[in-house]
């Protein structure tokens, strides 16, 4: 039997070796158009980042060694350019000798892989634009870095290759920006889990531009420029395309082989194409989704190797079936490990499968043993029988073994109830008595049994605030560091004594930091007769991650790097201070002669543990002394900034060392009080009663100013103030006679407002707008949009709307409608209330 194999990487090489082990007499010829076979495709970015330092390490097997061991005729630099199915032959282009010849076969196996997507945009064909598929691509990128010494790179695409390249370019000192068309990185993940990755990437001072694609590339003598769909332009020295891959099916298509609905080569369970003598494996084929049975493309090395083995079995006469791909994958993103298996929510919804989901945040091992690190697990399961359908995990250690356990349960058709019962290895350095996998099973099973209903972050965002009551059951300290707007703080340990404060005629939504205390609170309320109680899955940690916007703070643009005098002054000061402080820390000295007074290790503790450790340590210290505290909870990075601002202590430095956050804090001069005792936030509440142009402008200038200082602002528009929010065009709505009369007499929208003084029949209003334009003062309309973009909450009084005959459809987009209770709630959380 004569077998030809096209492609010598994962699938092809695996098939060749397996076939030889099964049939010593078969004639096996393998063609590879490049000079290398069986190379470490997944390791290529790490050679660019100098993690893998030797070129030879990238080659898993050389043609000479493989040929000698397995007696295979391996022909590199040989491209198969045509298949002749009727003749059972292929045409081969010998690239070294530039000749074309014919080779016949009994069986043919195709493993052409997938090619990088290169968008059809201006400027894509340049020696500063790179893709990464093979070893020559890798050497091209590495040679450019070594010879040109680029300071900046833009990576287009935030999938596997894109993120690995971004990390490795960053590792060799290049400033990196990532551009991604989707709203989150890593397509197979859901947004709520990817959000954890977003903030980690940003913490590395890597620019991350989501929901934005590349429109064009421009190249100049000394630099290139990436124009985004949003209009933003990023100057850079090099551009790497990691948009994704498409199956390479040219040979198969020209040979008349059937293609699937997703554009890959169609194969059966035996890896046969529509021609029974031609097999195909790897990234070029469509596979069955193991969870929902649909045809899909999943370009992964593990499945490709298994498919090569199965194809070889069938070619040799040994029946072997491929039962589908569940997409189990793992990825290193800077300090994080990201892994997933099975279906995500999008795939389940597309397949019409009913499912439930939970998110938990356990630790990698027992928290009392040093070095415990947090992880986040999302579990997707059937709402009918609890069958496990998918999982996503983000963490620092122990992620790999947890995803492998869950992947195994999926392959075995097990349920969340089985996860509860799994007996997994435990010792404090490695796990907990209740392993994170068990914990995921416990929480999911609780949901299915009805022990506790859950609500998810997006439903909390869309809740009817008049019909729901939101309770934050964390400590006052945690509450003061940030909470969900409208939440009332009743710590779980005080809940039984404060039941009378909780309305029984509303839906009760409870949340804590990660979900555990929320579950306990749910059980308390349910057993005290509260009928509609839900726990926020994943707690405030998940909610904060998905609702917190990327800031791009700390990113120094190209012009600033080339011309330091153009660097924003505050950025420059921060960088200089950080550099100075780093040098001082290296010498164990801070502020000249003062050494670190006290070091505290809070690693392994979840919030509020690290903050409480900080508070207790600072309380025991003298003014001016320095505390060094280490924590592994990623939330500590933001919490400690807020805590220091609120307590008058000085945050001298905040940085990551491996997988640990290290903060240096100087105790303030004044006696510090615990933020736990604070009952008033620094929110701002503004009642806008007036419909005068000048007062409306003043209202929004104040609101934007407060928002720019990080304050939460609520603007409550009532009576004549409602006219500020009306749309300028007439909206067709049903009204009674009186309401229509009111509408005719009142100004429709901000552009028709009058001045409170010197209006002069409208001349004054036009004059003030003209002066504002000449003085480059933002217009009222732009101030309104700016306020909304800055997170200012704009509420129209429903009572006033009813009296004045104004319908919600007549108000500009983004305005909420609320009653007096909405404003009173905002006012109670504010330290300033203005009536305009």
């Amino acid at each position: 039997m004569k077998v030809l194999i096209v492609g010598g990487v994962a699938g092809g090489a695996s098939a060749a070796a397996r076939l030889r082990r099964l049939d010593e007499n078969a004639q096996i010829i393998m063609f590879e158009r490049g000079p290398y076979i069986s190379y470490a495709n997944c390791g290529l970015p790490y050679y660019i980042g100098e993690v893998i330092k030797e070129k030879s390490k990238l080659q898993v097997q050389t043609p000479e060694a493989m040929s000698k061991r397995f007696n295979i005729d391996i022909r590199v630099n040989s491209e198969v350019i045509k298949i002749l199915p009727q003749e059972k032959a292929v045409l081969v282009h010998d690239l070294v000798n530039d000749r074309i010849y014919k080779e016949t076969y009994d069986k043919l196996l195709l493993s052409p892989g997938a090619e990088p997507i290169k968008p059809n945009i201006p400027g894509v064909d340049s020696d500063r634009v790179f893709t990464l598929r093979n070893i020559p691509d890798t050497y091209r990128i590495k040679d450019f870095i070594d010879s040109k010494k680029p300071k900046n790179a833009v990576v287009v695409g935030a999938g596997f290759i894109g993120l690995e390249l971004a990390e490795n370019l960053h590792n060799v000192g290049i400033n990196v920006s990532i551009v991604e068309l989707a709203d989150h990185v890593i397509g197979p993940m859901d947004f709520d889990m990817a959000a954890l990755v977003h903030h980690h990437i940003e913490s590395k001072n890597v620019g991350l531009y989501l929901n934005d694609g590349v429109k064009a590339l421009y190249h100049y003598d000394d630099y290139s420029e990436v124009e985004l769909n949003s209009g933003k332009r990023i100057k850079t020295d090099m551009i790497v395309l990691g948009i994704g891959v498409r199956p390479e099916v040219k040979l198969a298509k020209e040979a008349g082989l059937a293609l699937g609905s997703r554009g890959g080569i169609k194969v059966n369970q035996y890896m046969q194409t529509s021609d029974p003598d031609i097999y195909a494996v790897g990234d070029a084929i469509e596979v069955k989704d193991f969870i929902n049975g649909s045809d899909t493309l999943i370009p992964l090395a593990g499945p490709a190797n298994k498919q090569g083995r199965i194809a070889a079995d069938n070619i040799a006469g040994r029946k072997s079936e491929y039962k589908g791909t569940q997409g189990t994958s793992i990825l290193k993103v800077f300090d994080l490990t990201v892994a997933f298996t099975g279906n995500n929510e999008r795939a389940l919804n597309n397949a019409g499968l009913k499912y439930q989901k939970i998110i938990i945040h356990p630790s990698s091992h027992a928290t009392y043993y040093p070095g415990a690190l947090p992880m986040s697990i999302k579990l997707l399961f059937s709402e009918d029988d609890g069958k496990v359908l998918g999982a996503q995990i983000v963490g620092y250690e122990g992620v790999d073994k947890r995803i492998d356990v869950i992947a195994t349960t999926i392959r075995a058709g097990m349920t969340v109830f089985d996860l509860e019962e799994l007996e997994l290895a435990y010792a404090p350095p490695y796990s907990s008595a209740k392993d994170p996998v068990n914990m995921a099973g416990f929480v999911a099973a609780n949901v299915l049994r009805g022990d506790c209903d859950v609500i998810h972050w997006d439903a909390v965002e869309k809740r009817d605030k008049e019909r729901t009551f939101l309770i934050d059951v964390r400590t006052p300290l945690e509450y003061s560091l940030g909470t969900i707007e409208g939440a009332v703080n009743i710590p779980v340990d005080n809940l039984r004594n404060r039941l009378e404060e909780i309305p029984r005629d509303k839906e009760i939504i409870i949340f804590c930091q990660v979900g555990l205390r929320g579950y306990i609170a749910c059980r308390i309320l349910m057993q005290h007769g509260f009928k509609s109680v839900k726990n926020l899955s994943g707690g405030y940690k998940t909610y904060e991650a998905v609702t917190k916007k990327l800031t791009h703070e700390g990113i120094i643009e190209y012009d600033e790097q080339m011309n330091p005098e153009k660097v924003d002054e505050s950025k420059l000061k921060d960088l200089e201070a950080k550099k100075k402080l780093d040098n001082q820390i290296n010498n164990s000295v801070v502020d000249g002669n003062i050494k670190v007074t006290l070091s505290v290790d809070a690693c392994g503790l979840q919030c509020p543990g690290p903050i409480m450790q900080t508070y207790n340590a600072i309380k025991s210290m003298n003014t001016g002394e320095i505390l060094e505290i280490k924590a592994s909870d990623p939330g500590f990075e933001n919490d400690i900034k807020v805590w220091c601002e609120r307590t008058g202590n000085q945050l001298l430095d905040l940085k990551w060392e491996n997988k640990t956050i290290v903060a240096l804090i100087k105790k303030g001069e004044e006696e510090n009080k615990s933020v736990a005792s604070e009952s008033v936030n620094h929110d701002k509440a503004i009642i806008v009663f007036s419909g005068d142009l000048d007062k409306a402008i003043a209202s929004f200038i104040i609101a934007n100013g407060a928002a720019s200082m990080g304050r939460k602002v609520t603007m409550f528009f009532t009576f004549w103030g409602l006219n500020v929010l009306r749309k300028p065009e007439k909206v067709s709505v049903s009204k009674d006679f009186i309401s229509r009369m009111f509408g005719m007499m009142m100004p429709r929208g901000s552009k028709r407002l009058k001045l409170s003084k010197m209006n002069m029949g409208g001349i004054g209003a036009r004059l003030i707008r003209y002066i504002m334009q000449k003085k480059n003062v933002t217009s009222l309309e732009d101030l309104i949009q700016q306020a909304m973009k800055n997170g200012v909450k704009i509420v129209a009084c429903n009572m006033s709307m009813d009296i004045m005959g104004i319908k919600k459809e007549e108000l500009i987009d983004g305005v909420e409608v609320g009653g007096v209770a909405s404003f009173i709630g905002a006012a109670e959380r504010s330290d300033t209330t203005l009536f305009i």
Side-chain angles (χ1 to χ4, degrees):
M1 179 172 61
K2 183 178 181 182
V3 181
L4 304 186
I5 297 175
V6 180
V9 193
S14 177
R18 174 68 172 173
L19 185 58
R20 175 57 72 218
R21 291 194 296 270
L22 295 177
D23 188 346
E24 182 64 22
N25 298 314
Q27 181 184 0
I28 304 171
I29 304 175
M30 185 164 68
F31 301 98
E32 172 55 50
R33 65 183 160 199
Y36 306 99
I37 64 159
S38 193
Y39 54 83
N41 210 321
C42 299
L44 300 182
Y46 297 99
Y47 176 73
I48 293 170
E50 299 182 354
V51 177
I52 299 172
K53 298 186 182 298
E54 299 174 29
K55 290 183 177 181
S56 60
K57 298 288 185 182
L58 296 175
Q59 288 185 258
V60 178
Q61 185 68 275
T62 65
E64 297 76 19
M66 187 171 184
S67 177
K68 183 176 181 180
R69 174 163 295 182
F70 293 102
N71 187 26
I72 297 171
D73 183 356
I74 299 176
R75 303 178 188 178
V76 294
N77 298 309
S78 298
E79 182 179 8
V80 174
I81 57 174
K82 192 174 186 62
I83 302 171
L84 307 170
Q86 301 302 321
E87 300 180 39
K88 296 188 72 171
V90 299
L91 293 182
V92 184
H93 183 194
D94 178 350
L95 299 173
V96 174
N97 299 305
D98 194 21
R99 68 184 183 94
I100 296 175
Y101 64 94
K102 184 184 292 186
E103 194 72 57
T104 61
Y105 63 82
D106 295 312
K107 301 290 181 183
L108 174 65
L109 186 141
L110 302 178
S111 181
E115 59 184 343
I117 295 173
K118 201 169 184 179
N120 184 23
I121 56 174
V124 75
D125 295 316
S126 164
D127 57 6
R128 293 197 193 118
V129 179
F130 304 87
T131 58
L132 180 61
R133 179 187 185 185
N134 50 37
I135 289 180
D137 291 343
T138 309
Y139 292 163
R140 182 171 166 245
I141 295 172
K142 188 69 168 64
D143 290 344
F144 182 89
I145 292 171
D146 291 343
S147 61
K148 303 295 184 181
K149 309 294 182 186
K151 293 184 177 181
N152 302 273
V154 172
V155 175
V156 182
F160 281 58
I161 288 293
L163 291 182
E164 288 175 344
L165 277 168
E167 177 186 346
N168 281 282
L169 291 170
H170 181 271
N171 285 347
V172 292
I174 298 174
N175 296 288
V176 180
S177 292
I178 303 170
V179 177
E180 170 56 50
L181 184 61
D183 65 352
H184 68 281
V185 303
I186 313 173
M189 298 192 75
D190 292 318
F191 178 80
D192 45 17
M193 294 297 284
L196 299 166
V197 185
H198 297 166
H199 298 300
H200 182 70
I201 291 172
E202 189 179 46
S203 75
K204 300 297 181 181
N205 288 339
V206 171
L208 183 58
Y209 301 91
L210 301 172
N211 271 322
D212 214 347
V214 175
K215 184 177 181 180
L217 305 176
Y218 303 97
H219 306 287
Y220 307 100
D221 290 342
D222 299 323
Y223 66 92
S224 295
E225 198 168 39
V226 180
E227 181 184 6
L228 306 185
N229 292 335
S230 64
K232 180 176 177 59
R233 288 174 175 251
I234 306 173
K235 289 183 178 180
T236 187
D237 300 310
M238 63 183 295
I239 300 154
V240 186
L241 303 178
I243 298 172
V245 295
R246 63 167 64 94
E248 193 162 312
V249 297
K250 183 173 181 291
L251 275 176
K253 187 176 182 179
E254 291 177 350
L257 301 181
L259 302 182
S261 59
R262 302 293 300 277
I265 302 172
K266 192 173 182 63
V267 297
N268 62 18
Q269 68 269 37
Y270 307 115
M271 312 315 298
Q272 285 174 302
T273 68
S274 54
D275 184 323
D277 290 322
I278 302 178
Y279 294 73
V281 299
D283 297 352
I285 71 167
E286 289 190 8
V287 296
K288 288 292 181 186
D289 186 302
F290 185 80
I291 304 297
N292 62 56
S294 66
D295 293 328
T296 188
L297 297 167
I298 303 181
L300 294 171
N305 276 283
K306 297 176 183 67
Q307 293 156 12
R309 179 183 175 91
I310 288 169
D313 282 354
N314 289 294
I315 290 171
R318 179 182 292 188
K319 282 293 180 184
S320 184
E321 295 185 19
Y322 188 71
K323 298 178 181 178
T325 302
Q326 64 194 70
T328 306
S329 306
I330 195 163
L331 174 68
K332 181 180 181 294
V333 184
F334 294 95
D335 302 321
L336 279 181
T337 300
V338 180
F340 41 89
T341 187
N343 279 184
N344 59 17
E345 290 196 60
R346 183 177 63 255
L348 292 172
N349 286 323
N350 290 341
L353 296 179
K354 295 180 180 180
Y355 66 93
Q356 286 270 25
K357 58 184 176 180
I358 57 97
I359 296 176
I360 62 172
H361 303 284
S363 294
S364 57
H365 61 247
T367 55
Y368 58 81
Y369 186 88
L373 294 166
M375 70 173 65
S376 300
I377 301 178
K378 180 174 185 176
L379 192 70
L380 299 155
F381 50 96
S382 168
E383 68 176 31
D384 295 327
D385 57 9
K387 188 175 180 180
V388 181
L389 303 174
Q392 299 161 39
I393 308 180
V394 176
Y396 296 87
E397 288 184 356
V399 170
D400 51 348
K401 67 178 180 180
R402 271 69 187 219
I403 204 68
D404 284 343
V405 169
I406 297 175
T408 303
T409 65
I410 289 176
R411 186 61 61 160
M414 296 168 73
T415 69
V416 297
F417 306 108
D418 295 314
L419 295 186
E420 291 183 289
E421 298 177 3
L422 287 179
E423 187 174 332
L424 303 172
Y426 161 60
Y430 305 106
S431 183
S432 302
K434 296 176 182 176
D435 188 86
V437 172
N438 297 134
M439 290 299 300
F442 294 150
V443 175
N446 285 342
V447 171
L448 292 180
R449 293 187 182 111
D451 292 342
C452 180
D453 198 2
V454 293
I455 188 170
H456 300 281
W457 69 271
D458 49 347
V460 171
E461 285 284 275
K462 299 171 186 173
R463 73 189 186 280
D464 184 339
K465 296 176 183 177
E466 298 298 321
R467 298 183 179 181
T468 54
F469 190 73
L470 195 58
I471 307 176
D472 184 339
V473 298
R474 300 175 300 161
T475 65
L477 171 61
E478 294 171 276
Y479 178 78
S480 69
L481 294 175
T483 189
I484 301 174
E485 185 177 359
V488 175
N489 185 213
I490 307 178
V492 64
D493 295 336
N494 301 338
L495 194 59
R496 292 182 181 88
N497 299 324
R498 297 175 63 179
L499 295 176
E500 70 281 355
E501 300 177 35
I502 305 172
R504 292 181 179 268
D505 60 344
K506 293 185 177 183
E507 180 181 74
I508 311 301
I509 299 174
I510 293 174
F511 69 94
C512 63
Q513 186 66 18
V514 297
L516 177 57
R517 285 171 288 173
Y519 168 67
I520 295 169
C522 277
R523 294 301 301 160
I524 292 172
L525 293 186
M526 290 171 69
Q527 293 178 84
H528 278 85
F530 288 85
K531 301 299 182 184
S532 181
V533 183
K534 293 181 178 178
N535 184 26
L536 176 58
S537 185
Y540 185 70
K541 181 172 182 176
T542 294
Y543 181 88
E544 183 184 33
V546 296
T547 58
K548 181 181 177 183
K549 295 181 180 178
L550 298 174
T551 65
H552 296 112
E553 290 178 0
I555 307 301
I556 300 181
E557 303 288 351
Y558 183 94
D559 285 342
E560 295 173 331
Q561 293 169 31
M562 298 299 107
N563 304 285
E565 67 275 7
K566 291 187 178 182
V567 178
D568 180 88
E569 190 174 344
S570 61
K571 271 187 191 178
L572 199 57
K573 285 181 179 178
D574 288 345
L575 289 171
E576 289 173 349
K578 187 179 187 310
K579 185 176 181 181
K580 179 180 178 182
L581 188 60
D582 285 341
N583 291 334
Q584 292 171 337
I585 293 167
N586 290 335
N587 296 320
S588 300
V589 177
V590 179
D591 283 354
N593 299 316
I594 306 174
K595 295 183 178 180
V596 170
T597 311
L598 178 64
S599 293
V600 175
D601 187 349
C603 292
L605 297 179
Q606 294 268 15
C607 180
I611 288 292
M612 292 304 300
Q613 292 265 25
T614 304
Y615 168 65
N616 291 328
I618 285 288
K619 190 167 62 173
S620 68
M621 296 169 64
N622 298 318
T623 299
E625 291 184 329
I626 308 298
L627 169 69
E628 178 190 64
I629 182 160
K630 297 181 179 180
S632 55
D633 181 4
F636 180 72
E637 185 175 18
N638 182 61
D639 288 349
I640 195 61
K641 295 176 185 176
V642 178
W643 186 86
C644 287
E645 288 173 2
R646 301 289 299 278
T647 58
N649 296 294
Q650 185 181 359
L651 181 60
L652 298 175
D653 190 46
L654 186 64
K655 61 184 178 182
W656 285 80
E657 290 183 352
N658 295 322
K659 299 170 184 177
T660 300
I661 302 166
V662 181
L664 285 177
I665 303 164
K666 181 179 180 181
K667 182 164 181 175
E669 294 181 4
E670 297 181 1
E671 182 67 24
N672 294 306
K673 296 180 180 179
S674 168
V675 291
S677 66
E678 293 191 15
S679 59
V680 180
N681 294 324
H682 293 293
D683 297 359
K684 311 298 174 190
I686 304 173
I687 303 174
V688 184
F689 178 85
S690 172
D692 295 329
L693 174 62
D694 44 338
K695 295 175 183 177
I697 291 171
S699 301
F700 277 98
I701 288 175
I702 293 169
N704 279 305
S708 70
M709 294 173 65
R711 309 304 189 223
K712 292 182 179 179
V713 182
T714 299
M715 301 182 75
F716 192 77
F717 288 78
T718 183
F719 285 97
W720 312 116
L722 291 170
N723 293 316
V724 180
L725 305 180
R726 292 180 72 189
K727 292 177 179 175
E729 69 275 7
K730 185 176 180 180
V731 179
S732 180
V733 290
S734 176
K735 291 186 178 184
D736 57 31
F737 175 74
I738 298 297
S739 297
R740 287 200 303 272
M741 290 297 293
F742 258 114
M744 291 171 62
M745 291 186 290
M746 293 187 300
R748 186 185 292 125
S750 59
K751 290 187 177 180
R752 298 188 182 182
L753 300 180
K754 300 177 181 179
L755 285 180
S756 61
K757 305 288 183 185
M758 298 174 58
N759 187 57
M760 297 179 293
I763 296 175
R766 289 195 293 272
L767 182 61
I768 198 71
R769 285 181 178 274
Y770 172 76
I771 295 171
M772 288 173 67
Q773 186 178 13
K774 291 284 287 183
K775 300 287 186 180
N776 289 322
V777 178
T778 306
S779 69
L780 173 57
E781 292 71 35
D782 287 342
L783 284 169
I784 294 172
Q785 293 303 314
Q786 193 178 85
M788 290 180 172
K789 192 176 293 185
N790 288 338
V792 173
K793 184 178 179 182
I794 299 177
V795 183
C797 175
N798 57 0
M799 181 271 293
S800 298
M801 289 173 62
D802 189 45
I803 291 174
M804 304 181 75
I806 296 176
K807 303 288 187 180
K808 188 176 189 304
E809 293 84 352
E810 296 180 89
L811 302 181
I812 59 177
D813 295 337
V815 174
E816 298 181 22
V817 176
V820 175
S822 298
F823 176 73
I824 296 300
E828 288 178 345
R829 293 189 301 275
S830 302
D831 63 359
T832 302
T833 301
L834 303 177
F835 187 93
I836 299 175

